[in-house]
Amino acid sequence: LAIDDGLTEWGGGRYSKAAMSGIGKMIGGRKDESIQIYSGCDVCGAGGFFSGLFGAEREHSVFCGAVGGGEHGFGRIGGGQQAGVNGKGQPGILFCGVRQCAGRKSLSGKCGENAFYALSDDDVLTISGSGDMYDYGSEEGKFTPWHKEYYKSVVIENGITRIGDYAFYHGDVQEITIPDSVTAVGKYAFAQWSQTETISLPDSVETIEEGAFSGSTFHTLRIPEKVKAIPAKMMEACRELTEIALPEGVETIGDNSFESCESLSKVTLPETLTEIGAYCFGSCWAVTEVTIPASVTTIGRDAFFVWEDGQTIYVKGKTEAPSGWHDDWRSDEVKVVWNV
């Protein structure tokens, strides 16, 4: 079987996952990183194709031609364009496990007592109305109504006050607009994003909840000045994050907030800070130095875990760790300079 370099479409029909996996392995050199991967199709075997193409280390998925009314089989795989319906560039995504293929339908409905959603034909998800969005989850029965759909941008209109838990979890989103009416961001609302490098929170935001941005590709994030507490796991495993500056006024940083941010090289802590949670900056190998303000009275276990020789922690106003600092607050290998 010979497959030309110019292949952009694999036609309809139903193929076994085993067969498609073998084909995927044959053209494994064609690794188009623009393809985002979410789930498999148990009818056409396209999940098996991507399994072979990307290897077991990737989360396998399918963009199936049947999404949008086409035949089974995947559509466009090249040209920097996400999979479409039989190569015609109409994207479709099936999330969360192996699912039957299903045609895409226009979506609209309620997502809060007075909040509404609508997904347009040009793949823009709009949240309108007023008040708080509903809270959602990451398991069957708790998903958002749009969790199986592809949308390239999100527009939250003025009037929405709280972004619900898991509202845009696992988004393949290139652009988002958040209005000044938003004061709170729910748990894991923007977790596991894969296309967006920056996200801008308006100055109106006062509360950010657990894991709100965890596991995403954000390079930077500006924290609004009204935020007083950084929640647990806020940016855990954001491996592309390079810099974080917490504004004056922040008093606490929750457990695991920046753990495993492997590209994080610059951290600025405010003079108002009193507490640093357990594992907060664990495995942040790229940070060369950080200064702990004199105001910090509590540091949790392994807050600076897996910090190594060549990394330096400067401590203001203290000659030794106070009683509120855990005995194992940092790695033995890291250099600590006291009373700077």
Side-chain angles (χ1 to χ4, degrees), residues 89 99 113 173 184 194 222 231 239-240 248 283 296-297 338:
R99 296 181 181 276
E113 287 299 314
V173 178
S194 59
R222 187 188 70 85
R239 303 186 193 281
E240 306 299 323
E248 294 298 324
S283 300
V296 174
T297 58
W338 297 94

Side-chain angles (χ1 to χ4, degrees), residues 1 6 58 90 92 123 127 164 186 218 238 249 279 282 286 303 307 324 333 335:
L1 174 65
R58 295 293 297 270
Q90 182 179 349
D123 305 318
I127 308 298
F218 303 122
C238 287
Y279 304 98
W307 280 46
E333 293 82 3
K335 180 181 179 181

